Amino acid sequence: IGLGVSLYDLQHILGFNPEQIGFNGTLSLAFGSRGMPHSSGHFEPDSFVINLTRHSADTFKYREDRHRREVEYRHALLSRGLQALAHEYGHALDYYCGTYVERNFTGSLSGGRHQWNIPLKTEYHLAGLMKIILDKICIDEQGKATPYIKRVKKSHHPKYLLQKNEIFARAFEKYINYKLKQKGYFNVFLAKFKYEDGKDLTALYGYYLTDAEFQRVERDFDHLIAEIRKSFSKGKKSTGFKKKVHTKAIEGLGILSDGVMSIEDAKKA
């Protein structure tokens, strides 16, 4: 139910029709079947599958204190990525447009796993709009790293977090969160509330844009989403290919977290 409501809210925020929200059948969701022990979920650009890992209660069932066990389990459900669908969908949207709408060598609009300071030229319309967003997030008027980039550099995993695809996914997550608040929606399955006030600049939450930082790119985001919506309506699709993937049966309610991995990377993890 939570996933259905989340997709409904996401559809209305983005202005997509029901067919477009799943990229006309290209995007798939796998529940509790393709996840990894150390990750709550990930997106596979090779197969266009968002993998939602089902949390196991085995970790908590041997606690002697029943109340503490229940509290810790509920906390684990939240902390394991229950609210990260927007983040993973951002990855999917990025890679779908860069593979099927405006196909390029990275397979994404953002530039994929390239680092934030690697300049990538593009002649494509949507990729150009994406570049405007990423440039404003990463580079200030003097051509130097923004306070946001400087914060992320101090995080525990700066190389990963400063990939162009990760910067976009977190900005998209912020975009959805911001639009939810504007519409008066509350959806704990769709977007995280840990950056609700946009003021926590610690190493824990500092890799998210503050409200003030996001407002610099809000109109650019609106423009990008509007143009993506137009390309969907025109039925624009490149000559890209889609691999046929057989996913396992849905086994239960899944939970999402961050990450973009190839199928081979997922198997090795």
Side-chain angles (χ1 to χ4, degrees):
I1 295 175
L3 177 62
V5 173
S6 296
L7 291 175
Y8 180 83
D9 288 347
L10 192 62
Q11 172 194 329
H12 283 269
I13 289 172
L14 298 176
F16 293 173
N17 64 39
E19 292 75 26
Q20 292 169 343
I21 200 68
F23 311 149
N24 294 312
T26 302
L27 183 64
S28 299
L29 297 175
F31 292 87
S33 60
R34 297 167 68 90
M36 297 164 288
H38 65 278
S39 177
S40 305
H42 63 278
F43 168 68
E44 295 176 5
D46 291 342
S47 57
F48 280 89
V49 177
I50 291 178
N51 303 277
L52 317 184
T53 302
R54 182 179 59 185
H55 182 83
S56 173
D58 290 344
T59 308
F60 306 94
K61 69 181 182 181
Y62 296 111
R63 296 282 194 200
E64 294 181 1
D65 186 331
R66 179 178 178 182
H67 174 71
R68 182 174 178 82
R69 179 175 69 237
E70 292 177 352
V71 170
E72 288 186 359
Y73 181 56
R74 288 197 298 270
H75 175 73
L77 286 176
L78 289 174
S79 64
R80 284 293 299 244
L82 181 65
Q83 308 137 52
L85 177 58
H87 179 99
E88 299 302 338
Y89 191 87
H91 281 310
L93 186 64
D94 178 18
Y95 278 82
Y96 178 80
C97 290
T99 300
Y100 291 102
V101 182
E102 291 181 355
R103 187 171 186 176
N104 62 69
F105 73 100
T106 69
S108 65
L109 293 182
S110 64
R113 297 183 181 184
H114 285 84
Q115 288 291 296
W116 70 278
N117 56 353
I118 302 297
L120 297 176
K121 295 183 179 180
T122 180
E123 298 178 356
Y124 292 111
H125 179 54
L126 296 180
L129 297 178
M130 172 73 80
K131 186 176 184 300
I132 291 173
I133 292 173
L134 295 181
D135 283 351
K136 285 187 178 181
I137 291 174
C138 301
I139 305 170
D140 64 17
E141 289 77 4
Q142 287 73 43
K144 298 180 179 180
T146 59
Y148 169 75
I149 293 296
K150 293 177 181 177
R151 290 199 308 274
V152 178
K153 284 183 176 180
K154 297 177 182 178
S155 67
H156 297 300
H157 305 285
K159 187 174 181 180
Y160 169 72
L161 294 172
L162 289 174
Q163 291 175 172
K164 291 178 183 290
N165 57 4
E166 284 300 322
I167 293 173
F168 171 73
R170 282 175 173 75
F172 181 83
E173 191 178 352
K174 178 72 177 184
Y175 176 78
I176 297 300
N177 175 271
Y178 197 85
K179 295 299 182 180
L180 282 172
K181 290 191 293 184
Q182 283 186 335
K183 291 180 176 292
Y185 293 176
F186 180 76
N187 188 324
V188 296
F189 289 91
L190 184 56
K192 299 176 182 178
F193 53 79
K194 59 177 175 283
Y195 43 68
E196 184 72 24
D197 59 5
K199 297 177 182 178
D200 191 339
L201 305 183
T202 64
L204 183 60
Y205 302 143
Y207 47 80
Y208 286 96
L209 296 170
T210 65
D211 286 352
E213 289 169 336
F214 171 75
Q215 287 166 2
R216 293 186 63 240
V217 296
E218 181 183 3
R219 290 186 178 180
D220 300 301
F221 248 108
D222 288 338
H223 189 192
L224 173 63
I225 297 301
E227 292 302 301
I228 289 175
R229 190 164 56 241
K230 287 180 183 178
S231 71
F232 285 1
S233 298
K234 294 177 182 178
K236 184 179 179 182
K237 190 170 182 178
S238 75
T239 56
F241 62 92
K242 178 189 175 185
K243 294 183 179 180
K244 188 175 182 180
V245 177
H246 298 283
T247 59
K248 297 180 182 178
I250 292 176
E251 298 178 357
L253 179 61
I255 314 167
L256 290 172
S257 181
D258 307 338
V260 175
M261 292 189 175
S262 66
I263 296 176
E264 292 306 314
D265 288 341
K267 289 178 179 178
K268 294 176 183 177

